Structures are given as C-alpha cells and as structure tokens.
Amino acid sequence: MNRQPHSASREAIVAEAIKDVVGELRLVDAADYISFIRLEHFSTVSDIVDSAAELFFAPGTLKLGHGGEAEVSWSDPPRIVLDLELRPEGVTVYFALILEDERAAVVVNYVSFDRPDPDPLCNTAYLADAIERSRIRKTAVAASR
C-alpha cells in the first residue's frame, strides 16, 4: 500500500480519539482475546468493542470490522490486532488497532468521505471535527450513571 502524505496525521487523529476506548479494551485479558479470535468468536469480540466504545462515542460510531488476529509465540508477548471501523457522520475510517504488552498502535488502511474535498488537508480537518461531534461528553456519561 502506498502511504499518502496525510496518512500519519489521520492515524494520529484516530489514535487520540480512541485512546480511552483502548484503555477499556485492555481490561480484557489477552488470553481471552486469543481464545475468542482463534475460535472465531468474533461476535464476542464485537460485543467487547461495542461495550468499550459506548462509553465514549455515539452508538455505532466505533465497531469491529471483519475480525482480528492473535499473534502468539513462545518467545514474544502476545500481539492482538483488531480490525475496526470508525464511522462518525460523513466519513468511515477502516483501521487496525494493534495491542501489545506495553503499547498500542493504529494503522489506518482506508478513509472514505461521503463528500470528499479535493484538498486532503480539508478532509483531514473534517475527519477531526466529525470524530469530535460523535464523542459523548463526559458530563453526559456521568449523568447517565
């Protein structure tokens, strides 16, 4: 895949937007992810992602895409890769979330805008604004508890 010059900035936007969700996803033991993925229980992984995302985003904004991978060996810590979709209004981001023992990373595979602008910088700004509009405000979360 040829990386576009604006890919790094979009990855940073997505990574920043989902950092709280990643914290919630890390509450699940790596062994559970390995089991669910190896046994192809992706509906369970989808439920986990949905539960973590509902704390921070409007319903349906962040969801599991087509699955994931569990990379496990005798010599290295496990590496969980989840195929995710971020769908704020007007844009869809297809990306991989990589969870490792001491870090997490986002790799954006494709971004689709409903009404793309010819200027990639305008599209990147739109992405950031759309994500912000789809976030649940912390005061709203506190009030619902």
Side-chain angles (χ1 to χ4, degrees), residues 19-28 33 48 51-52 55-56:
K19 70 180 181 183
D20 293 328
V21 176
V22 171
E24 293 291 320
L25 292 174
R26 283 188 174 280
L27 296 174
V28 175
Y33 282 118
I48 293 167
S51 294
L55 300 172
F56 306 101

Side-chain angles (χ1 to χ4, degrees), residues 26-48:
R26 283 188 174 280
L27 296 174
V28 175
D29 194 52
D32 293 331
Y33 282 118
I34 293 165
S35 297
F36 298 144
I37 291 169
R38 294 271 170 100
L39 295 171
E40 297 184 4
H41 291 181
F42 290 109
S43 62
T44 304
V45 179
S46 180
D47 289 344
I48 293 167

Side-chain angles (χ1 to χ4, degrees), residues 53-59 132-138 140-141:
E54 73 183 2
L55 300 172
F56 306 101
F57 289 101
E132 187 57 34
R133 288 190 307 272
S134 69
R135 294 182 66 74
I136 295 174
R137 305 292 173 241
K138 293 186 190 275
V141 173

Side-chain angles (χ1 to χ4, degrees), residues 5-6 9-10 13 113 117-128:
H6 45 272
S9 60
R10 292 178 182 174
I13 290 167
F113 294 92
D117 190 282
D119 181 359
L121 294 177
C122 289
N123 290 330
T124 300
Y126 180 85
L127 172 63

Side-chain angles (χ1 to χ4, degrees), residues 42-43 45-46 49-50 62-68 82-85:
F42 290 109
S43 62
V45 179
S46 180
V49 172
D50 290 347
L62 180 65
K63 64 181 192 167
L64 184 69
H66 290 102
L82 300 177
D83 175 32
L84 299 177
E85 296 176 11

Side-chain angles (χ1 to χ4, degrees), residues 57-135:
F57 289 101
T61 302
L62 180 65
K63 64 181 192 167
L64 184 69
H66 290 102
E69 298 176 39
E71 299 172 11
V72 184
S73 72
W74 292 107
S75 59
D76 297 315
R79 182 176 195 239
I80 307 300
V81 180
L82 300 177
D83 175 32
L84 299 177
E85 296 176 11
L86 183 61
R87 295 176 171 263
E89 187 176 337
V91 63
T92 303
V93 182
Y94 301 93
F95 68 100
L97 172 62
I98 302 164
L99 299 171
E100 296 177 332
D101 61 341
E102 295 185 13
R103 70 180 202 103
V106 167
V107 177
V108 171
N109 297 314
Y110 185 73
V111 181
S112 173
F113 294 92
D114 290 353
R115 286 184 231 106
D117 190 282
D119 181 359
L121 294 177
C122 289
N123 290 330
T124 300
Y126 180 85
L127 172 63
D129 291 342
I131 291 171
E132 187 57 34
R133 288 190 307 272
S134 69
R135 294 182 66 74

